[in-house]
Amino acid sequence: MKIIMATGNANKVKEIRQMLEGSDIEVLSLKDVQIDAEIDENGTTFEENAAIKAETICKLTGQMVMADDSGLEIDALGGEPGIHSSRFMGEDTSYDIKNAALLEKLKEVPEEKRTARFVCAVAIARPDEPTKIFRGTFEGRIAHEIKGENGFGYDPIFFVPEKGCTSAELSPEEKNSMSHRGKALKLAVEEIRAHI
Ligand code: IMP
């Protein structure tokens, strides 16, 4: 079975393919289906943005499409960067700079107030059917320094208390088994299987 993943982010396609390895679901990227769409993510929640992306590509292709929208909510910043995570300080700014800026903003914030979470909404759109949406969260804290080489984005400043390290220090398998995207995707995959 084929499903199109409505993202231009190669990291996400890679993570999702790893998660679905061994299953009979083949994940195609937008590049694989030669679609180069500029989608206006103008929703106000992760769920709305995931649905906008999945439904736009579903209308263009007539195929089942999965889209995700995710980000980092930092409680001490009122939930920011949140749905603006990739646009925070500009799309083209490196994550070394973004992560250093967030650590600087939080430099006076004590340990117990450094709570944060990654959130992911996964939407599945099919022609002529209501879109289904699933949410996963990954609770942690903002670290005091940038650490780790794995993952992407804000992983090097996201401290995972159960593991005693940042999510950038986890192996891809460890991260997938506990991450926001892993959890939302697991629910989405169950739904897809139930539907076959
Ligand atoms: P999206 O492509 O609109 O979903 O933006 C997601 C953004 O949130 C990414 O570009 C990262 O900045 C951040 N983000 C989401 N998930 C993760 C993760 O697993 N690790 C690190 N950063 C993440």
Side-chain angles (χ1 to χ4, degrees):
M1 151 179 277
K2 288 188 178 150
I3 184 160
I4 299 169
M5 183 70 205
T7 180
N9 182 333
N11 289 306
K12 285 187 186 173
V13 178
K14 193 171 142 200
E15 276 194 3
I16 286 168
R17 281 201 180 125
Q18 275 166 353
M19 267 178 240
L20 293 176
E21 233 165 32
S23 81
D24 49 1
I25 302 171
E26 185 188 350
V27 183
L28 301 176
S29 68
L30 288 180
K31 213 169 148 200
D32 294 330
V33 293
Q34 296 177 349
I35 288 185
D36 186 12
E38 225 1 272
I39 302 169
D40 195 11
E41 291 178 33
N42 56 9
T44 57
T45 62
F46 294 110
E47 279 81 358
E48 275 177 26
N49 281 334
I52 290 169
K53 285 186 261 189
E55 288 169 5
T56 305
I57 302 300
C58 180
K59 279 197 192 104
L60 280 174
T61 59
Q63 299 224 37
M64 175 160 59
V65 178
M66 186 192 302
D68 86 325
D69 196 59
S70 54
L72 176 66
E73 289 181 348
I74 301 178
D75 293 326
L77 301 179
E80 285 298 312
I83 59 166
H84 307 113
S85 290
S86 57
R87 286 165 273 174
F88 173 67
M89 294 179 76
E91 296 264 5
D92 296 331
T93 304
S94 79
Y95 276 91
D96 283 343
I97 293 175
K98 295 188 195 204
N99 285 334
L102 286 174
L103 292 189
E104 179 64 23
K105 270 182 196 268
L106 295 194
K107 90 172 175 247
E108 306 294 342
V109 177
E111 198 55 44
E112 71 276 11
K113 296 216 167 102
R114 298 176 78 89
T115 48
R117 71 202 54 74
F118 281 122
V119 179
C120 177
V122 171
I124 298 174
R126 300 181 186 90
D128 307 319
E129 280 190 51
T131 298
K132 297 257 170 78
I133 306 175
F134 305 92
R135 167 179 273 240
T137 57
F138 185 15
E139 298 286 336
R141 286 203 300 266
I142 300 305
H144 293 272
E145 56 183 14
I146 293 172
K147 237 174 152 190
E149 305 291 330
N150 300 335
F152 66 100
Y154 299 105
D155 281 324
I157 59 164
F158 188 76
F159 184 78
V160 185
E162 302 96 292
K163 297 284 180 182
C165 64
T166 70
S167 48
E169 294 175 279
L170 298 175
S171 68
E173 293 74 23
E174 268 179 311
K175 183 182 165 195
N176 290 343
S177 72
M178 60 197 308
S179 80
H180 50 313
R181 193 167 303 101
K183 289 174 191 161
L185 199 72
K186 194 160 175 268
L187 296 172
V189 169
E190 279 166 17
E191 211 287 319
I192 294 169
R193 291 210 166 110
H195 194 269
I196 299 174

